[in-house]
Amino acid sequence: MTEIAPSGLRIDAGGDQFPVSGERPRLSWLPLDDADGYELAADIDGVGQPMAAVSSHRLNAWPWRDLTSGERVRWRVRGTGGAWSDEHVFEAGLFDRDWTAEWISPADADQQAYGKRPGHLFRRDVVIGQDVVSARLYSTALGVYEAFVNGERVGTAELSPGTTSYDTTVYAQAADVTAALRAGGNLLELVVTDGWYLGQVGAFHAPAAWGGDRVAARAELHLRLADGSTQVVRTDGDWTSWSSTIVRAGLMDGQATDSTVRPRPLGPVRVGVVAAPPVSWSPAPPVRRIEERAPRALNRLTSGAWIADFGQNASGWTRLTDLGPHGARTIVEHGEHLDPAGDLDMSHLDSEREGDGLVVLDQRDEVVSAGEPGAVFEPRHTIHGFQYARITREGAPLRAEDVRMVVVNTDLAPTGSFRCSDDDLNRLHEVAAWSFLGNAVDIPTDCPQRERLGWTGDYQVFASTAVRLFDVHGFTRKWLQSVRDDQLDDGRIANFSPDGRQVKHHPELQIAQMTGSAGWGDAAVHVPWVLYEAYGDRDELAANWGTMTRWVEWALETARTRRHPSRVQRSSEPLPHEEFLWDGSFHWGEWCEPKLRGADGELIDPVAADPMAWFMEDKGEIGTAFLHRSVSELARIARVLDRRADADRYDEVAGRVLEAWRTEFLRSDGRTAKDSQASYVRALSFGLIPQDLRAASAARLVELIRASGTHLGTGFLSTADLLPTLAETGHADVAYELLFRRTSPSWLGMLDRGATTIWEDWDGVDENGAAHESLNHYSKGAVVRFLHTHLLGLDQAPGSVAWESFVLRPVPGGGVTWAEGSHTTPQGTIEASWVIEDGRIVVKGRVPAATMGTVVLPDGTTVTVGAGAFRLSGAV
């Protein structure tokens, strides 16, 4: 009998061509079912290491000596005394202490507006006296950059080095460039544009405020030569600054390239004129070109322009081939919506604020052809959110085969699949996944066109769904580093991270006065906890402990010292429970609840109608509910980290906050003071309602849903929990009615109006065909978690970590007759399916090694299943 060896070896690091680690990477693999321990073997740069023994298969601490820069590691694992796995290979990065390269900047500073400036080209000729055995290029930039060796683009990563909080963190990339080099003369080039570092930020296109006024690059080429010697080429004063064919580049407004312009030398680079943090290595996968999509249609307008419809809203750019004769100009504008005449309409993405005027979104790329056969235009220094492209070309025809959408986002591995008998639900699942991917461009953004900000509230809402759809472990860890970097001195969490406005240094900004909101800042606690539950990452809890506690302590102090004006009016002295009501500071609130309609039928946005009333509204019910959840999660985190005194204290505080919430916002009959759908969903899902009142509160939630014509009335913070809450309180029938509702507000109503991603506004495209707000805003797509956890029925068991145990409890409904899906966990892939036939349900699945499952059939039959396949049946 052949022995089974471990598989799925990996480290907790990112990388493009190969994984690139720090000094002590963590090691993981898929477990064996009967292993009582594991043995590890490795060699580091060809030198064998002592055998190491561990008991776990997940996120093991590095068992050997600390790595040094550039070392190559081969390692393998076996169950004690068993068969060895295949080798896994990775390399250590060039650590900050070992960098000798200098930061180089253009010879002259640009005068154009940030985000609209030209690209900069840095060049260096390199003579290599003999054959190259091995070559590694380590590079990074303040700005977006591409590296070239002898005209060949290095690597497959896009938009490098990615977006970070540049005052504290900047990441480098490593590439194997051996094949691109030759003995003799070689040319190294770096092309740098403003990117996230100096570009525009947010809906009002304010310049990023990271403290610099010019882009910069840093690189080292490490060579091993045929005679065993080494050579290092680094950025320094020997490099030359050149003009670029990129005449304008900004991530928001687009890129313009004039291929007829020949780069010209501008003089020596400037050295050391920028301030930059130490170089780090990202734990996230890179941003990549994921796929190309041909136009579903290419229509000519009366203006002479073409409209390309790619059939899917996504992030990326338009790739053009056959650019026409010398001097032919092509303009490509990108958007999400067409007007009634079939022309591009981006007006719903414009932003207007008093004092700022109208800020027009202009996702425009341009290229002037050099007339070279086979030339390709691919604007890799920008990115757009779009489904449609308006293409205007002078002096050349346009063919459909010369136009492609290039989908660009972080290269996240899918981990969750779902299909069922209802094609609408299958499409909804697909649309939600597309919406998240369109916003997974190095960080989780709110939208890929208008703002492109890493709003904490959006990811707080969606994180528990993201971990079901994709492997977001490294992606999320990278983002949490920026959350930590951006935390304000008083403990508040920035509304979005990376925070290019630098609110922590600019308290005079209006956005600074709107920082510290419940449901947004609470991401600092909730998202690391989700990572721990999904991946078992205890170290990430430890890394974020200081940030979490500072945030929670700020919220508790704010609750103690600040009161909402309505409570001051009620009583000049605070009532005893008010010490734990978080009501006296700014909260965004439920946000994006379905809009009301006036007598004329027009939609009414309460925020726009009376912003001061919205700003001053008492949102203490929301704030105190989130305060309770965060303090409770902090107590659980403290226990995981063996901080027993902290755990006991936060448990006691959580009890006081819960008592305060119930005293202020809960009536004796189970009704909440707010008496809204959102308030009941939040209270029930957060465990705020006493057991003896849960049925009454859930019944009231159903009454409100029925009073709205069986429509949802929830907004940003509670929609994700609406259907699970209904199902778990005995109202699965109502949950399915809402899920299948087609009139607005509803998920399927979006699909009926042409949505290919989830909209920001429930009426993103109204009944008249007019677009409103962003048409790619992923948070409401969290509904698809219900498809996994309830319709399919597959969920992690309560108290389980990293899916060591799970529950399969199908909740059929809505006329769905079968469902199937899978989830790839740190333990392996769990497969599950069910089908209803002749009044009975047949449930099947497969359990990976070292995993236990509990299957609960609709008739109550409960069976424990272990590794391998299973099949059960029972009454529906």
Side-chain angles (χ1 to χ4, degrees):
M1 181 176 178
T2 303
E3 288 187 280
I4 299 176
S7 61
L9 279 65
R10 60 198 182 277
I11 64 171
D12 62 331
D16 182 10
Q17 299 167 321
F18 45 83
V20 183
S21 81
E23 296 173 328
R24 301 184 61 81
R26 294 179 294 176
L27 309 176
S28 301
W29 54 90
L30 295 179
L32 300 177
D33 196 47
D34 56 354
D36 57 3
Y38 297 91
E39 295 173 320
L40 298 163
D43 72 63
I44 301 175
D45 270 2
V47 177
Q49 302 300 303
M51 190 87 73
V54 298
S55 59
S56 172
H57 66 282
R58 189 177 64 241
L59 296 173
N60 286 283
W62 181 247
W64 299 293
R65 66 166 176 81
D66 287 3
L67 296 174
T68 60
S69 290
E71 288 187 314
R72 186 175 178 85
V73 179
R74 297 178 178 273
W75 67 284
R76 55 183 180 159
V77 62
R78 67 180 180 182
T80 304
W84 285 105
S85 69
D86 292 336
E87 284 188 331
H88 179 260
V89 181
F90 67 92
E91 295 184 13
L94 180 62
F95 302 146
D96 184 73
R97 62 178 177 269
D98 297 322
W99 281 76
T100 57
E102 298 181 276
W103 286 96
I104 60 173
S105 296
D108 297 311
D110 288 311
Q111 302 303 315
Q112 293 93 330
Y114 294 132
K116 298 178 181 292
R117 307 189 305 172
H120 299 281
L121 174 61
F122 305 127
R123 281 181 170 175
R124 165 73 188 272
D125 291 316
V126 178
V127 176
I128 303 174
Q130 53 189 290
D131 290 341
V132 177
V133 174
S134 173
R136 294 292 183 269
L137 179 67
Y138 303 102
S139 52
T140 187
L142 300 177
V144 164
Y145 82 99
E146 296 178 278
F148 296 85
V149 176
N150 292 324
E152 180 179 326
R153 189 177 187 273
V154 173
T156 65
E158 302 290 350
L159 303 176
S160 297
T163 179
T164 67
S165 299
Y166 284 99
D167 60 333
T168 306
T169 303
V170 64
Y171 296 112
Q173 288 70 46
D176 182 350
V177 294
T178 309
L181 291 163
R182 56 180 176 260
N186 295 268
L187 177 63
L188 304 185
E189 296 176 295
L190 300 169
V191 178
V192 188
T193 57
D194 285 354
W196 288 281
Y197 179 65
L198 286 179
Q200 300 161 334
V201 176
F204 301 102
H205 295 199
W210 295 114
D213 62 358
R214 62 180 65 227
V215 298
R218 194 183 190 196
E220 292 193 18
L221 176 64
H222 288 232
L223 306 172
R224 293 183 183 180
L225 305 178
D227 66 356
S229 64
T230 61
Q231 181 179 349
V232 178
V233 180
R234 56 186 63 85
T235 48
D236 55 22
D238 291 335
W239 288 63
T240 305
S241 180
W242 290 65
S243 65
S244 168
T245 59
I246 299 175
V247 297
R248 171 181 58 82
L251 290 173
M252 298 199 76
D253 283 353
Q255 176 178 330
T257 297
D258 189 342
S259 302
T260 67
V261 173
R262 289 186 175 275
R264 66 186 190 282
L266 302 176
V269 297
R270 300 190 66 185
V271 176
V273 297
V274 299
V279 170
S280 305
W281 295 89
S282 173
V287 174
R288 284 197 176 103
R289 302 166 80 262
I290 301 300
E291 66 171 281
E292 290 189 13
R293 297 178 67 92
R296 186 173 66 179
L298 185 64
N299 298 319
R300 192 77 180 268
L301 301 174
T302 56
S303 65
W306 287 266
I307 294 291
D309 177 1
F310 296 103
Q312 177 61 55
N313 200 349
S315 63
W317 52 67
T318 300
R319 179 179 186 268
L320 298 174
T321 55
D322 191 6
L323 302 178
H326 186 280
R329 179 184 298 273
T330 305
I331 299 172
V332 187
E333 299 163 284
H334 302 81
E336 302 178 303
H337 188 62
L338 300 181
D339 66 19
D343 200 356
L344 194 68
D345 179 8
M346 292 190 292
S347 59
H348 62 290
L349 297 172
D350 297 339
S351 301
E352 186 167 13
R353 185 173 63 184
E354 186 176 352
D356 288 326
L358 184 66
V359 179
V360 176
L361 182 69
D362 185 19
Q363 301 185 115
R364 177 194 300 256
D365 299 332
E366 301 179 46
V367 60
V368 179
S369 173
E372 298 174 353
V376 175
F377 175 59
E378 196 160 346
R380 302 175 105 118
H381 288 254
T382 190
I383 194 164
H384 310 298
F386 69 108
Q387 177 175 337
Y388 306 98
R390 179 168 60 202
I391 305 171
T392 305
R393 172 170 285 182
E394 303 168 3
L398 184 70
R399 302 176 304 172
E401 56 264 37
D402 294 324
V403 181
R404 292 292 183 270
M405 167 192 269
V406 180
V407 178
V408 180
N409 52 252
T410 299
D411 194 3
L412 299 175
T415 56
S417 68
F418 171 84
R419 289 179 65 246
C420 72
S421 61
D422 191 279
D423 287 339
D424 285 332
L425 297 188
N426 296 334
R427 178 60 179 152
L428 178 61
H429 190 272
E430 180 182 18
V431 164
W434 269 107
S435 197
F436 177 65
L437 285 175
N439 282 288
V441 182
D442 203 53
I443 59 167
T445 61
D446 60 329
C447 56
Q449 8 61 11
R450 184 184 61 207
E451 293 191 32
R452 313 179 190 198
L453 296 174
W455 282 91
T456 49
D458 297 62
Y459 205 48
Q460 182 273 132
V461 167
F462 199 82
S464 58
T465 303
V467 297
R468 294 303 300 265
L469 299 177
F470 300 99
D471 180 354
V472 295
H473 185 202
F475 172 79
T476 306
R477 288 175 57 217
K478 175 187 179 296
W479 179 70
L480 285 170
Q481 177 65 59
S482 286
V483 173
R484 297 195 296 272
D485 290 347
D486 293 336
Q487 187 171 27
L488 281 68
D489 289 342
D490 61 10
R492 283 180 294 165
I493 299 297
N495 283 316
F496 43 80
S497 284
D499 177 16
R501 302 303 304 278
Q502 285 285 272
V503 163
K504 66 184 179 184
H505 297 313
H506 296 283
E508 75 282 357
L509 294 174
Q510 182 184 32
I511 194 69
Q513 309 306 311
M514 302 170 75
T515 297
S517 171
W520 274 255
D522 295 292
V525 179
H526 185 62
V527 173
W529 180 247
V530 169
L531 287 194
Y532 175 71
E533 289 187 312
Y535 305 111
D537 196 342
R538 183 181 184 274
D539 293 341
E540 193 64 19
L541 294 180
N544 287 279
W545 174 257
T547 298
M548 298 175 190
T549 54
R550 289 175 59 210
W551 161 252
V552 167
E553 293 297 341
W554 174 83
L556 288 169
E557 177 66 9
T558 302
R560 187 181 68 83
T561 59
R562 297 173 64 179
R563 303 170 69 202
H564 190 268
S566 65
R567 290 184 182 82
V568 175
Q569 187 175 22
R570 178 179 70 185
S571 170
S572 60
E573 292 297 320
L575 302 177
H577 70 279
E578 288 187 43
E579 178 180 354
F580 295 98
L581 294 182
W582 188 14
D583 64 340
S585 59
F586 172 78
H587 296 301
W588 293 101
E590 185 60 23
W591 197 251
C592 283
E593 288 178 286
K595 294 184 176 69
L596 303 173
R597 290 183 182 271
D600 58 0
E602 290 295 313
L603 294 170
I604 299 174
D605 181 348
V607 179
D610 191 346
M612 185 51 66
W614 165 80
F615 187 90
M616 295 300 297
E617 180 187 356
D618 175 15
K619 304 185 184 78
E621 177 268 322
I622 298 171
T624 309
F626 273 96
L627 180 59
H628 176 263
R629 191 187 72 170
S630 285
V631 175
S632 298
E633 287 181 341
L634 201 55
R636 291 195 288 272
I637 291 167
R639 286 200 162 78
V640 173
L641 297 178
D642 298 321
R643 306 178 69 100
R644 297 182 182 179
D646 289 320
D648 291 344
R649 173 176 173 258
Y650 285 121
D651 268 337
E652 191 274 333
V653 171
R656 299 289 300 276
V657 176
L658 176 59
E659 181 182 2
W661 188 93
R662 289 174 174 174
T663 299
E664 186 72 23
F665 302 113
L666 184 65
R667 292 175 12 184
S668 60
D669 60 358
R671 292 198 176 191
T672 66
K674 182 72 172 177
D675 197 34
S676 68
Q677 290 187 32
S679 69
Y680 290 106
V681 170
R682 184 164 28 256
L684 289 163
S685 64
F686 284 14
L688 303 177
I689 306 293
Q691 189 63 38
D692 62 339
L693 292 178
R694 284 180 65 83
S697 294
R700 178 56 180 163
L701 170 60
V702 172
E703 285 181 13
L704 292 173
I705 292 170
R706 295 299 189 199
S708 298
T710 312
H711 285 94
L712 58 84
T714 51
F716 191 86
L717 292 176
S718 61
T719 294
D721 293 322
L722 173 60
L723 302 190
T725 296
L726 287 167
E728 290 158 17
T729 56
H731 301 286
D733 56 336
V734 182
Y736 280 109
E737 286 184 65
L738 291 177
L739 180 60
F740 282 99
R741 179 65 62 191
R742 309 200 83 95
T743 49
S744 184
S746 67
W747 293 279
L748 297 190
M750 293 186 192
L751 302 192
D752 290 343
R753 294 181 186 177
T756 64
T757 47
I758 300 297
W759 298 338
E760 179 178 12
D761 194 307
W762 287 110
D763 290 289
V765 176
D766 64 27
E767 63 270 25
N768 299 316
H772 303 273
E773 312 300 336
S774 165
L775 300 185
N776 191 353
H777 225 84
Y778 65 91
S779 64
K780 292 184 179 70
V783 66
V784 301
R785 178 162 52 94
F786 176 83
L787 304 183
H788 288 263
T789 59
H790 290 76
L791 177 51
L792 177 62
L794 178 60
D795 203 2
Q796 191 168 189
S800 170
V801 175
W803 289 81
E804 292 173 339
S805 60
F806 68 90
V807 176
L808 179 59
R809 183 187 289 113
V811 183
V816 177
T817 58
W818 61 265
E820 62 183 20
S822 65
H823 184 52
T824 300
T825 79
Q827 305 290 108
T829 300
I830 303 169
E831 299 174 1
S833 68
W834 59 262
V835 62
I836 296 174
E837 296 174 340
D838 300 324
R840 293 184 65 79
I841 187 169
V842 177
V843 179
K844 296 189 293 185
R846 182 172 295 276
V847 182
T851 304
M852 295 297 295
T854 301
V855 182
V856 182
L857 301 182
D859 64 5
T861 301
T862 302
V863 178
T864 299
V865 294
F870 64 86
R871 183 182 188 278
L872 303 167
S873 66
V876 178

